[in-house]
Amino acid sequence: RFLESRIDYEHFTVTREGHTASIKPFPISIDSNSSDNAFLSPALSKEELLKKYNIQAEFLGVGVDRLDYTKGISERLRAVEYFLERNSQFIGKFTFVELGAPSRTMITKYKEFVDEITREAERINAHFKKKNWQPILFLMKHHSHAEIAPFYRAADVCLVTSLHDGMNLVAKE
């Protein structure tokens, strides 16, 4: 037989030319049914979250990514700049927070990419910054679900701008 298979609720096996492979589900991302889910814990209010990070804004945008060139982060920051240039009524009212997890930090190209993102955020902030407001807050570290959840709850908009990704967990979350 070319292909023989058996399906049950726990796994799937395939046998071909005398070799058997077992395929099992290994879910990724957040477990929305988990009792310890950070998204079910008591929430910070939007005001409390903004105060915690010294953000003064009426509207909040959020991006959560591994710092990788395929995620479209540079393009996203420039889109925030473009948005503010064309919608000046949001200057002083809209802040975009990028929660960026460092990735492949020992590879020169990735280090250069992080430097580029940092410079781009600083450039855009310098262009628009007011006394108690800046348009972009770049938080670079590995964030837990508990740290990310309040941003998702408070966000008026979440941006997922993958350029080359086939599977984007942030979109799923």
Side-chain angles (χ1 to χ4, degrees):
R1 287 163 115 174
F2 178 71
L3 180 69
E4 177 185 309
S5 63
R6 179 179 63 81
I7 300 175
D8 68 27
Y9 296 107
E10 295 301 316
H11 68 278
F12 177 71
T13 58
V14 176
T15 302
R16 180 170 181 214
E17 298 177 4
H19 299 281
T20 300
S22 183
I23 303 164
K24 297 180 181 182
F26 294 97
I28 54 177
S29 190
I30 59 172
D31 180 1
S32 59
N33 297 318
S34 172
S35 61
D36 65 344
N37 187 335
F39 292 89
L40 300 175
S41 62
L44 284 176
S45 70
K46 185 175 184 176
E47 292 73 26
E48 291 170 322
L49 178 67
L50 296 175
K51 185 176 181 179
K52 179 179 177 179
Y53 289 93
N54 199 27
I55 301 169
Q56 295 190 4
E58 185 177 340
F59 303 101
L60 185 65
V62 174
V64 180
D65 303 274
R66 181 172 52 83
L67 293 173
D68 187 294
Y69 63 92
T70 64
K71 305 296 184 183
I73 301 167
S74 299
E75 292 81 359
R76 183 182 310 164
L77 298 182
R78 287 192 293 274
V80 169
E81 177 181 38
Y82 182 86
F83 169 75
L84 292 172
E85 286 173 344
R86 277 142 188 87
N87 298 279
S88 60
Q89 70 271 24
F90 287 96
I91 294 173
K93 295 181 180 180
F94 175 79
T95 294
F96 180 76
V97 178
E98 177 61 40
L99 302 168
S103 174
R104 301 176 177 122
T105 55
M106 301 307 288
I107 299 173
T108 302
K109 288 289 184 192
Y110 280 84
K111 167 88 172 80
E112 291 170 355
F113 174 74
V114 169
D115 292 344
E116 174 193 334
I117 295 300
T118 302
R119 280 191 309 273
E120 202 61 5
E122 289 170 354
R123 181 189 65 76
I124 294 166
N125 283 339
H127 178 79
F128 291 104
K129 189 172 182 168
K130 291 187 170 215
K131 182 180 178 186
N132 295 316
W133 174 82
Q134 67 183 39
I136 296 172
L137 176 62
F138 179 35
L139 299 175
M140 183 177 62
K141 74 175 200 117
H142 293 279
H143 296 86
S144 69
H145 286 299
E147 292 170 311
I148 295 169
F151 285 97
Y152 280 156
R153 280 193 210 98
D156 295 293
V157 63
C158 290
L159 297 178
V160 179
T161 56
S162 302
L163 301 176
H164 309 289
D165 263 354
M167 178 176 68
N168 194 299
L169 301 180
V170 175
K172 181 181 177 191
E173 290 174 358

